Amino acid sequence: QRRLAQQHHLETTQAIQQLIRSGETLTNAVRFYAASGEEHYRTRFLVELEVASRDNAVDRLRRLLGDDDDELALIVDAKRNSDDLVAFERHALAIAERGLRSEALDLLLGPECRSRQSVVSGPIDLAASLLDTRQQATIAQLAARADRAGYIAWATMAVNVCGMLVVLLAFYRRKVVRPLVHITRQAQRLLAGKRNVPFVGPQTAGQAIEIAELAKTLDNYQ
């Protein structure tokens, strides 16, 4: 979930940047055309309109955010204002195409154009800031949950390992240590001069084959 949230944040940021870059490409292209009259700037403006990068960016954001998202409403509002700005820039482009490049440049650098740009950039910047804050908070929450899950997993594994060690220790004591202690004590009794000391008994029966065989051998030795 954390990786998906990070990917979602990345894709959202990329879509917003695409929307911003497309608007900047259009504005710069028409301004450079008005300033220089070079045809490739006019072509860049028209090509950028045709590929519809702004529309694609908004569609991508709509898929990522959903129609009910508050930030998407800001994006849609910015796109509407951007369309008005593009219409204004088309008008300036038409003036420049008629050879009135100075008049077109005055329009593109004047207060009306700056006002139109501000109502585009303002909602986009606000939406980007709100989205970044919300998505980063979500990522941080998921990261904390992932860390807690990791701690729980390590603690559970540690408990399991301790449990297995306890079981193995109990098994080792019952199957190995106790039978050997019994054989050792019986051997000490035998060395002390006792006769008919039983080595095979409940302590050695059913234990490891080697221990059982040792007990039988000692019994037979007597």
Side-chain angles (χ1 to χ4, degrees):
Q1 288 179 345
R2 178 178 58 184
R3 287 195 297 270
L4 288 174
Q6 290 171 334
Q7 181 65 27
H8 186 266
H9 178 253
L10 175 62
E11 292 179 3
T12 301
T13 302
Q14 289 174 340
I16 291 176
Q17 290 301 317
Q18 178 183 341
L19 179 61
I20 294 173
R21 284 196 303 271
S22 179
E24 290 176 346
T25 298
L26 291 168
T27 297
N28 290 334
V30 71
R31 281 181 177 177
F32 291 154
Y33 177 71
S36 65
E38 296 182 14
E39 185 63 21
H40 70 273
Y41 290 122
R42 175 179 172 276
T43 301
R44 181 184 300 175
F45 180 86
L46 297 176
V47 168
E48 184 63 28
L49 282 180
E50 186 165 349
V51 298
S53 293
R54 295 176 306 125
D55 297 292
N56 294 334
V58 172
D59 290 342
R60 187 179 178 188
L61 286 167
R62 184 172 283 111
R63 290 193 301 271
L64 290 168
L65 302 177
D67 290 330
D68 297 331
D69 192 273
D70 293 336
E71 288 82 3
L72 181 63
L74 290 170
I75 295 294
V76 171
D77 185 50
K79 173 60 168 55
R80 188 182 307 111
N81 295 333
S82 179
D83 290 339
D84 293 339
L85 175 61
V86 169
F88 180 83
E89 291 170 343
R90 278 180 176 273
H91 173 65
L93 180 67
I95 293 175
E97 288 173 338
R98 295 200 301 269
L100 305 174
R101 292 192 291 109
S102 178
E103 290 83 344
L105 196 58
D106 288 341
L107 281 177
L108 294 169
L109 299 177
E112 183 179 358
C113 187
R114 290 197 296 271
S115 175
R116 290 176 181 272
Q117 288 174 326
S118 67
V119 296
V120 174
S121 61
I124 293 178
D125 292 342
L126 178 58
S129 176
L130 292 173
L131 280 169
D132 182 70
T133 300
R134 177 160 60 88
Q135 292 177 338
Q136 290 289 6
T138 299
I139 292 170
Q141 290 174 356
L142 291 172
R145 287 174 56 188
D147 290 341
R148 286 195 299 271
Y151 297 146
I152 292 171
W154 278 107
T156 302
M157 186 169 63
V159 170
N160 288 338
V161 169
C162 290
M164 286 191 297
L165 289 175
V166 169
V167 171
L168 288 173
L169 180 60
F171 177 84
Y172 177 75
R173 287 174 60 86
R174 183 166 60 88
K175 293 290 187 179
V176 179
V177 175
R178 289 179 182 175
L180 288 177
V181 169
H182 168 73
I183 292 174
T184 301
R185 288 175 178 171
Q186 296 301 80
Q188 289 171 345
R189 292 178 62 194
L190 183 64
L191 291 173
K194 302 289 184 179
R195 295 296 179 218
N196 299 320
V197 177
F199 286 90
V200 177
Q203 296 87 344
T204 58
Q207 306 307 329
I209 295 175
E210 293 81 358
I211 294 176
E213 289 296 325
L214 175 60
K216 290 179 182 179
T217 300
L218 292 171
D219 260 354
N220 293 333
Y221 175 74
Q222 298 179 81

